[in-house]
Amino acid sequence: MAKGLFPRAWVKKSFYFQARISFVRVKYLFLTWLAVLVGSWVLYVQYSAYTELCRGHECKNAICDKYRKGIIDGSACSSLCDKDTLYLSRCLSTLADNQVYTGSWGDHDGIIRCKLGEVVHLELDEEPEPRRETPVFDKPTRGTSVEKFREMVFNHLKSKLGEQTNLASLVSQILTVADGNTDGRVSLPEARSAWALLQMDEVLLGLLLQDRGHTPRLLGFCGDLYMTERVHYGPLYGLSLPWPLVSWVPSSMQRSMDQWFTPSWPRKAKISMGLLELVEDLFHGTYGSFLICDLAAAHFGYTDRHELRLTDARAVVSEDEFKRTMRALKCETDADCVYGVDCKTLCDLSEKRCKEEPVQPNLAKACGTLKDYLLRGAPSGMREELERQLYSCMALKASNAGQMNMEHSLILNNLKALLWRQISHTKDS
């Protein structure tokens, strides 16, 4: 009897063991299948986003089509469309209608930007339609003289920058840039390209600031496609994460990582002085005053000599245009009076209109951006004084114009002097 029970019990246990193994196998098979399915879906979504964002070939085809028809011309057209010596490389686009690529042109590495019309969203199995083009190359019209074009440019600059005494010299500078083949005259196709570029505020502001070394140099253009110098180090601090990781890394973790990947402190001090000099030149510049309305680190980079560059001039607006825009804004509270990301004014509750004076000057916002950047790793002998000056700077308000000018200059000069004393004896200076 006992002998018969043992095999039966053993068979029963063996059956349950095999059944359990089968269940585990099915479970892991299901989980593996689920992981493959989810992974494939994520990859498809990311690939779809990439193909929608990165449409540089459409930009090139549309630009070269206009060039070959004689509608546009520029210093980069022949290299882009005929010689194929201007290449679009890695896609950096974050918006489908604003194409951004790294590129090379002979010995130059640069960033290529091109405006792209709206892309229609279609079903998964359909091909995307070509871009909806806007008639950006219809001015100046045939028969327009160079003097008439000069007047068009002058009036456009006046509308953007306000009344400035030296606009005529800026017009001459722009006409020199427009002469892409440097033959001493601006042809109609070249004028159309230059006019299209001037409609983009970031190009105009880049031209205004590049002489002072604050923005990357314009290397060439064709229509509304243009190439600027590449700034190899950016953003100002932190990591520029690859596009598949951006949505997966929590913002709190990104903020804590920001200060891990920065140069040595003397080099940070030199980069910071570049930002302070940019603020100084924008405060009362050659062509008026400007406001920086987004001081995010992503809009700045630096060269291998640790010289700061403003890599996205869309963050800057002329004070004249800012005031004009704010005057037209209706409001209920102060929260309604915001231009860009952080250019704010107060709401006039009696008139339900935004006031035109910014609440906080550029310098205060710049010091807020630099606070953690400079204090981390600062020499112990000057850390306390640096912190005091940075907080005094951050407390600046846009009060009485004369008083603010004096305070602005005093704080700016003191901060620059403090940083310079610390690094003037080092090789990083």
Side-chain angles (χ1 to χ4, degrees):
M1 186 80 176
K3 288 180 180 179
L5 286 173
F6 177 74
R8 192 180 302 166
W10 183 84
V11 169
K12 191 174 182 181
K13 285 183 180 179
S14 177
F15 173 76
Y16 281 125
F17 182 69
Q18 290 178 3
R20 184 170 181 78
I21 288 177
S22 298
F23 172 74
V24 170
R25 282 178 178 170
V26 170
K27 179 181 177 182
Y28 279 105
L29 184 63
F30 172 75
L31 290 176
T32 303
W33 173 83
L34 186 62
V36 170
L37 182 66
V38 171
S40 300
W41 180 79
V42 169
L43 286 174
Y44 176 79
V45 169
Q46 297 285 10
Y47 175 76
S48 298
Y50 179 86
T51 54
E52 182 175 328
L53 285 175
C54 301
R55 311 175 73 87
H57 62 286
E58 291 186 21
C59 257
K60 179 181 176 181
N61 291 342
I63 288 292
C64 290
D65 179 60
K66 297 287 192 298
Y67 165 65
R68 293 185 181 113
K69 290 178 179 177
I71 298 172
I72 58 173
D73 201 355
S75 55
C77 288
S78 177
S79 298
L80 178 71
C81 305
D82 294 335
K83 301 175 183 175
D84 285 328
T85 54
L86 195 161
Y87 303 99
L88 278 68
S89 302
R90 185 163 60 95
C91 177
L92 305 175
S93 306
T94 56
L95 296 171
D97 62 350
N98 186 30
Q99 295 294 292
V100 184
Y101 280 77
T102 61
S104 59
W105 186 13
D107 296 331
H108 296 291
D109 286 331
I111 299 295
I112 299 170
R113 289 181 168 85
C114 175
K115 292 291 183 183
L116 194 62
E118 179 186 355
V119 177
V120 181
H121 294 273
L122 302 171
E123 297 301 321
L124 296 179
D125 58 344
E126 291 184 295
E127 289 294 321
E129 294 180 1
R131 67 173 180 168
R132 294 175 180 173
E133 295 184 39
T134 52
V136 293
F137 305 125
D138 57 349
K139 291 181 182 179
T141 56
R142 190 172 297 279
T144 302
S145 66
V146 173
E147 286 307 312
K148 179 62 178 176
F149 180 59
R150 182 185 291 271
E151 184 183 338
M152 286 173 61
V153 173
F154 182 89
N155 289 333
H156 178 72
L157 295 178
K158 185 177 176 182
S159 71
K160 290 291 183 181
L161 305 175
E163 293 279 358
Q164 303 296 331
T165 56
N166 46 8
L167 281 186
S169 64
L170 180 57
V171 172
S172 297
Q173 178 188 338
I174 288 171
L175 291 184
T176 301
V177 172
D179 180 16
N181 58 3
T182 62
D183 63 352
R185 53 183 292 273
V186 179
S187 66
L188 181 61
E190 287 173 336
R192 285 174 176 155
S193 290
W195 185 254
L197 289 176
L198 288 176
Q199 307 314 302
M200 295 184 278
D201 291 345
E202 65 269 25
V203 177
L204 174 58
L205 290 166
L207 289 171
L208 294 180
L209 296 172
Q210 73 176 13
D211 287 345
R212 299 285 295 172
H214 296 308
T215 55
R217 283 190 307 117
L218 178 68
L219 298 176
F221 63 92
C222 183
D224 58 357
L225 178 149
Y226 65 98
M227 182 175 181
T228 56
E229 279 181 320
R230 185 176 179 185
V231 178
H232 289 276
Y233 300 96
L236 180 61
Y237 53 76
L239 279 178
S240 183
L241 294 173
W243 60 266
L245 296 179
V246 172
S247 56
W248 295 96
V249 179
S251 57
S252 57
M253 184 179 292
Q254 288 188 40
R255 284 195 300 271
S256 66
M257 291 165 59
D258 274 348
Q259 303 301 329
W260 296 355
F261 302 93
T262 55
S264 64
W265 192 87
R267 290 173 175 174
K268 288 196 292 185
K270 183 177 181 181
I271 294 166
S272 300
M273 286 186 66
L275 180 56
L276 295 175
E277 287 167 359
L278 168 64
V279 167
E280 187 174 22
D281 285 342
L282 290 177
F283 186 49
H284 285 305
T286 309
Y287 302 105
S289 297
F290 295 83
L291 298 172
I292 307 176
C293 292
D294 188 356
L295 265 159
H299 295 153
F300 299 90
Y302 55 93
T303 68
D304 53 3
R305 297 180 62 187
H306 301 93
E307 296 167 338
L308 181 110
R309 294 289 184 271
L310 173 65
T311 54
D312 190 349
R314 289 176 299 178
V316 180
V317 61
S318 73
E319 188 174 61
D320 189 75
E321 184 173 347
F322 171 78
K323 289 182 176 181
R324 189 166 59 247
T325 301
M326 299 314 291
R327 280 197 300 266
L329 277 183
K330 296 180 180 179
C331 63
E332 296 291 334
T333 66
D334 291 344
D336 298 323
C337 301
V338 182
Y339 185 104
V341 173
D342 54 15
C343 283
K344 302 173 183 178
T345 68
L346 300 177
C347 179
D348 186 337
L349 296 177
S350 61
E351 296 187 8
K352 301 291 184 181
R353 292 275 181 183
C354 292
K355 295 181 179 179
E356 63 179 32
E357 294 299 331
V359 172
Q360 200 176 28
N362 288 331
L363 183 58
K365 293 186 288 186
C367 288
T369 298
L370 293 175
K371 179 174 72 69
D372 292 338
Y373 184 69
L374 276 176
L375 290 178
R376 182 182 176 89
S380 56
M382 55 92 71
R383 181 187 168 87
E384 185 177 342
E385 176 63 15
L386 176 62
E387 187 171 15
R388 185 189 68 78
Q389 289 200 25
L390 284 170
Y391 276 104
S392 296
C393 174
M394 289 162 60
L396 269 176
K397 300 291 181 185
S399 52
N400 175 273
Q403 180 185 348
M404 192 190 78
N405 285 353
M406 195 158 53
E407 288 181 359
H408 187 284
S409 298
L410 183 64
I411 289 174
L412 180 64
N413 290 335
N414 286 344
L415 193 51
K416 285 171 62 179
L418 178 65
L419 294 175
W420 179 247
R421 281 199 306 270
Q422 196 64 36
I423 67 169
S424 59
H425 61 282
T426 69
K427 64 180 181 179
D428 297 304
S429 62

